[in-house]
Amino acid sequence: MSVTLDLAAHNSNAPTVDPAALFAAPKQQLVGLDRADLLEALGSLGVPEKQRRMRARQLWNWLYVRGVSDFDSMSNIAKDLRSRLADAYSIERPEIVAEQISQDGTAKWLMRFPASSPTEQPVDVETVYIPEADRGTLCVSSQVGCTLTCTFCHTGTQKLVRNLTADEILAQILVARDRLGDWPDQETPAGMTAPAGDVRAISNVVLMGMGEPLYNFDHVKKALLIASDGEGISLSKRRITLSTSGVVPQIEKCGAETGVMLAISLHAVRDELRNELVPLNKKYPIAELLDACRNYPGVSNAKRITFEYVMLKGVNDSLADAKELVRLLKGIPAKINLIPFNPWPGTRYDCSDWDQIERFADVVNRAGYASPVRTPRGRDILAACGQLKSESERIPAWKKRAISAALAGEDMDTHDAAHLAARSDAEAE
Ligand code: SAH
Ligand code: SF4
């Protein structure tokens, strides 16, 4: 049924809007269902109970070991079941809107995920691949935009549009593997750089893209458990790192329920400065954050927590800061990662001078922390840490209300109608 929204009652010059015509609901994704969900899905498609486990194993293998993106390639699954699966589910990849390759081999993709309801719009998400000689790291986004507003971070200037779902987080890994030829019997395509020898192209995953992963924990957890499943993508949990700006109440849970490595965006050693750089510090100050780190499940010298520290010229880069950093982290199994600040258009900060970064690193080195400076990668394509941002915006509340009212066949709030009419006029000009 198509519902036409007639604004004439409110504004005789306004155009008519047909929200239903603008929206076709996407099929549910099969990627992102865990094993229990998959068994249930097979049950609802009429697969007899005693066959479900075997079918789920086969699907898992096609999706995560072979990387297929159409049901027809699943040769050991009967045609009839393949077509029932295809009627109910999709395993299509998201659209790649843009692909950029940096001079240093870093690759960045802008992927578009469809809206799941008429009150949403498609969202664009950035994912970055950083090849090194002995590893390839994929930097994955967990949200579109961010609710937090760290002052040195480009993503922090983009309001949260929405959380990504488990399938959208996993899709970033699958698309990157497609583009890098990282499935069995594939080669690295011309123009792409990957580690040498038999290291897989994506050997490591870091949740350091757009968003705060601990504010989207359920979806992030589901995606990470699927990515580390030994019969699927099979990434070692030691090679998956989740970076947080310090959502203290979620840290224990993260360790206990995912078992992945933790990175903390520390960036300052005094609360006063950290309140400014990472405003979440006002809620969870440094002492509480470090306590949560001491108690992180599984933390040990073999499984250290990484502390990230962005080098901001004249702000947090004095040698006194370096000494305080070392003192604060005493007793915590830690690695220190000094990140030269990556500039972005409109930022008020500069990156510390290289000499100062070296002096700061010396203090950290002498305290026993090895190779602490992270080489900036992909700066020429705005793919480095903290440079990610997409054009996606949240649909304003008034517009959502208007669309919902139209779909329900109700009259729109007069205020919202006027707003919509004014916008339509402005867009038409
Ligand atoms: N929200 C999470 C993960 C995404 S940010 C977090 O804050 O930890 C990934 C890392 O990049 C964080 O350590 C973040 O502080 C850092 N970062 C943000 N902006 C940066 C910039 N402009 N230059 C260098 N590092 C930056
Ligand atoms: Fe969000 Fe992390 Fe950027 Fe802070 S640094 S604004 S938490 S993405």
Side-chain angles (χ1 to χ4, degrees):
M1 186 194 68
S2 124
V3 184
T4 303
L5 173 63
D6 187 0
L7 294 174
H10 308 287
N11 177 346
S12 57
N13 298 325
T16 52
V17 179
D18 181 356
L22 298 174
F23 184 74
K27 278 188 204 158
Q28 197 191 339
Q29 280 288 334
L30 206 61
V31 166
L33 299 191
D34 59 20
R35 282 164 190 270
D37 298 336
L38 206 49
L39 290 174
E40 211 181 297
L42 288 167
S44 68
L45 292 179
V47 175
E49 186 160 5
K50 54 183 191 321
Q51 286 182 20
R52 284 181 210 156
R53 280 190 185 283
M54 181 222 4
R55 292 295 181 212
R57 249 201 324 273
Q58 289 173 328
L59 279 170
W60 201 264
N61 188 275
W62 285 115
L63 293 175
Y64 301 122
V65 177
R66 312 287 290 272
V68 305
S69 53
D70 67 286
F71 288 106
D72 281 342
S73 313
M74 301 181 170
S75 51
N76 59 359
I77 295 182
K79 237 182 166 163
D80 165 54
L81 177 56
R82 287 196 321 237
S83 83
R84 269 179 288 155
L85 280 163
D87 286 343
Y89 294 96
S90 164
I91 53 172
E92 248 178 70
R93 301 281 196 257
E95 179 190 350
I96 301 180
V97 183
E99 175 177 87
Q100 284 175 282
I101 314 287
S102 154
Q103 285 164 2
D104 67 17
T106 298
K108 180 167 88 167
W109 297 282
L110 185 66
M111 301 182 198
R112 180 159 300 162
F113 294 101
S116 58
S117 82
T119 55
E120 281 176 10
Q121 53 191 2
V123 287
D124 292 347
V125 171
E126 293 195 305
T127 307
V128 174
Y129 175 67
I130 306 136
E132 288 171 89
D134 61 342
R135 67 173 66 189
T137 305
L138 191 71
C139 179
V140 167
S141 294
S142 56
Q143 299 182 310
V144 185
C146 191
T147 50
L148 302 174
T149 50
C150 304
T151 44
F152 53 87
C153 172
H154 201 195
T155 311
T157 66
Q158 181 183 9
K159 279 204 186 123
L160 180 74
V161 178
R162 68 168 173 85
N163 284 334
L164 293 176
T165 53
D167 65 278
E168 292 166 336
I169 296 168
L170 279 166
Q172 297 173 61
I173 303 179
L174 304 184
V175 166
R177 292 191 77 184
D178 292 345
R179 298 297 305 139
L180 293 162
D182 195 26
W183 299 108
D185 309 322
Q186 291 186 341
E187 306 255 314
T188 310
M192 291 290 179
T193 312
D198 38 345
V199 181
R200 51 200 281 191
I202 299 174
S203 58
N204 294 52
V205 165
V206 293
L207 276 122
M208 295 187 187
M210 295 160 64
E212 168 50 59
L214 293 188
Y215 278 153
N216 184 20
F217 182 66
D218 291 345
H219 287 129
V220 165
K221 171 183 159 187
K222 201 166 189 187
L224 295 185
L225 292 181
I226 293 174
S228 58
D229 183 292
E231 288 176 15
I233 301 174
S234 204
L235 278 164
S236 155
K237 288 184 177 179
R238 287 174 172 268
R239 290 175 172 270
I240 300 179
T241 303
L242 181 149
S243 173
T244 178
S245 55
V247 186
V248 168
Q250 295 284 74
I251 288 180
E252 221 242 81
K253 193 168 159 174
C254 173
E257 296 181 14
T258 70
V260 301
M261 308 294 283
L262 183 69
I264 300 285
S265 294
L266 190 63
H267 307 316
V269 290
R270 285 171 290 111
D271 280 323
E272 199 192 354
L273 178 61
R274 195 163 189 272
N275 286 346
E276 194 186 310
L277 299 178
V278 184
L280 186 66
N281 193 70
K282 292 181 207 149
K283 211 163 173 186
Y284 308 118
I286 295 174
E288 281 179 33
L289 179 57
L290 296 183
D291 268 348
C293 292
R294 280 185 197 96
N295 297 321
Y296 189 65
V299 68
S300 68
N301 281 338
K303 210 178 159 196
R304 293 167 190 260
I305 295 175
T306 301
F307 288 87
E308 298 163 282
Y309 196 95
V310 63
M311 299 298 296
L312 303 171
K313 186 174 184 168
V315 175
N316 65 354
D317 63 351
S318 73
L319 298 189
D321 286 323
K323 286 178 195 149
E324 181 59 10
L325 176 62
V326 166
R327 194 193 66 78
L328 269 182
L329 299 186
K330 220 171 184 167
I332 303 177
K335 286 187 261 191
I336 295 178
N337 215 197
L338 304 178
I339 316 176
F341 170 66
N342 294 307
W344 39 272
T347 180
R348 68 176 113 139
Y349 298 107
D350 291 314
C351 181
S352 307
D353 294 333
W354 201 253
D355 286 356
Q356 188 60 17
I357 296 181
E358 282 186 345
R359 280 195 289 271
F360 195 107
D362 271 350
V363 174
V364 171
N365 263 147
R366 266 185 268 118
Y369 298 95
S371 46
V373 184
R374 187 189 291 176
T375 320
R377 300 287 303 265
R379 272 183 175 181
D380 53 336
I381 55 167
L382 279 191
C385 287
Q387 292 184 315
L388 305 187
K389 177 178 179 177
S390 74
E391 296 298 322
S392 298
E393 284 176 6
R394 187 207 283 267
I395 297 193
W398 65 266
K399 204 166 184 176
K400 284 191 180 179
R401 281 195 303 271
I403 297 172
S404 301
L407 286 175
E410 290 165 3
D411 261 356
M412 210 193 312
D413 177 276
T414 341
H415 199 77
D416 291 344
H419 207 144
L420 182 59
R423 280 290 288 265
S424 307
D425 288 348
E427 275 158 21
E429 272 165 23

